[in-house]
Amino acid sequence: MAAKTADAGLEDRWRDILSVHARTMCEIDRVLHPHGLGASDFEVLDILAAASPEEGDQCRVHNLVGRVHLSQSALSRLIGRLEKDGLVERSVCVEDRRGVFVTLTRKGRDLHSEVLPLQRDVLARMLSG
């Protein structure tokens, strides 16, 4: 009986986590939509801004895969959209032709700075308490 109760508690906690995650992602999507971004778009821009603080710094796409909760193909498509919008630039690694670098453009840095407070406000509201 105790095992079933423990399992039920774990299931409840897991569902609570999923619920908070889903609500938070939806709210981030909602507040960023007027800026042409979704939650995953912002996540990539945010990681790039932190990983490459100086303009022109590069980050390998491979290093993003483990940090963004998307498949490699979905991440590649997302980066393609961000590149089309002028927010990032891609380049091939000279040392390893299979490697691809992503660079946050000035436009991408400016947009990230503009929407960062909106995303952080959502996190504060949704995750406090």
Side-chain angles (χ1 to χ4, degrees), residues 22-69:
R23 287 192 320 267
T24 303
M25 292 295 281
C26 287
E27 183 63 9
I28 291 170
D29 279 337
R30 187 187 69 73
V31 301
L32 297 183
H33 180 75
H35 301 273
L37 295 174
S40 294
D41 302 325
F42 175 84
E43 198 63 27
V44 169
L45 296 180
D46 199 42
I47 291 169
L48 287 173
S52 54
E54 300 296 320
E55 193 165 341
D57 284 351
Q58 298 177 320
C59 181
R60 284 185 72 125
V61 170
H62 180 76
N63 295 340
L64 294 173
V65 171
R67 300 187 64 198
V68 177
H69 302 287

